[in-house]
Amino acid sequence: MRSFIKTILITGASGGLGKEIAIHFSKKNWNVIATMICISECKVFEGIPNIKCYELNVTSSESIEKAKNTILNDYKSIDVIINNAGIGYRSFVELSEDAKIDAIVNVNWLGVVKICRAFIPHFREQNKGHFINITSIAGLVNLPLGSFYHPTKQAVESFSECMAYELLDFNISVSTVQFGNVPSNFQKNVKKCEKSSINSYNQMMQSIDGIMNRKTTDNHYLSEAILEKLYKIAENPSRRFKKYSIGFDANLMKYLRKFLGYRLFDRVIRRYVLSK
């Protein structure tokens, strides 16, 4: 049993999985630093103990630095940081928009980079710390209409592994966590390209939307599994870089891609998508 209260910082904590993570760690008697882009959203935690909210925009170095200074003035030590903030963008390359591409890269990929860069000095000074960077099935395999979301998640996987080598001497460790569609509002909030005059595109978008919505509904068990796994990782972080795949979807995709190879995996995905 722990003799002291640990502290965790979570990005994108105002809703969805981030909110659930914050509440779960609060129930486990952790101090929770819940960061969000708009501080007014902190009302979702009213009446819940051990949670303190801070305004932080992961795309802004200035916002991160301001929040960090305030946080470290309030907390002497942070044990774990979960990079959870993320957005979705589902579009065909031909129909994609610069602003939406910039947004997903800035949040999903560079946001993780900037948070880690900002808090490594704190972890290094206290000679301990653990980063948990949440990716997705998209960090493991390439699937239709993932031309923008998938690269950001795969970039986080590569970044995390590279960074882990740099931090070994300072007792700072790194993990990534991948899973499928969680029952939340994430899919509802995914940005999409407009319907076009190209029938093939419209049919594929409809097919992918249907698959994603069904998986989100089917994965009613997944949130609890993710919360418990994140807690176990945070309580006993591995010193070595580790990837954790949670849930049937993530593990199935990982092993299919590994053992089938590209050609057979490609055939399976094509048949599955085109048959819907």
Side-chain angles (χ1 to χ4, degrees), residues 36-135:
M36 55 204 65
I37 197 168
C38 182
I39 198 63
S40 64
E41 296 175 340
C42 188
K43 60 186 179 182
V44 298
F45 297 119
E46 286 181 4
I48 301 176
N50 306 330
I51 299 179
K52 191 167 183 178
C53 299
Y54 297 84
E55 188 170 287
L56 187 156
N57 181 347
V58 299
T59 70
S60 167
S61 296
E62 182 180 357
S63 173
I64 293 169
E65 190 65 21
K66 182 179 178 181
K68 183 186 78 169
N69 291 336
T70 305
I71 289 167
L72 294 181
N73 186 59
D74 294 342
Y75 294 90
K76 292 183 179 180
S77 176
I78 299 172
D79 298 279
V80 177
I81 292 176
I82 296 184
N83 279 302
N84 164 75
I87 60 175
Y89 180 37
R90 191 175 302 145
S91 175
F92 300 93
V93 174
E94 180 181 356
L95 306 179
S96 61
E97 301 172 48
D98 286 354
K100 290 185 173 66
I101 297 171
D102 291 344
I104 197 169
V105 170
N106 287 334
V107 174
N108 291 10
W109 153 228
L110 293 178
V112 175
V113 174
K114 291 177 179 180
I115 289 292
C116 292
R117 183 178 64 188
F119 284 93
I120 285 173
H122 172 68
F123 279 175
R124 184 167 47 77
E125 288 169 10
Q126 66 184 16
N127 195 39
K128 67 173 183 176
H130 188 71
F131 290 106
I132 302 175
N133 296 332
I134 292 180
T135 62

Side-chain angles (χ1 to χ4, degrees), residues 22-23 31 35 47 50 60 71 73 82 100 107 132 138 155-156 193 207 217 229 238 254 257 261 271-272 274:
I23 294 172
N31 287 322
T35 73
N50 306 330
S60 167
I71 289 167
N73 186 59
I82 296 184
K100 290 185 173 66
V107 174
I132 302 175
V156 172
C193 60
S207 175
T217 302
K229 190 63 175 181
S238 172
K254 179 173 70 174
R257 183 65 181 87
R271 182 173 298 176
Y272 183 66
L274 295 177

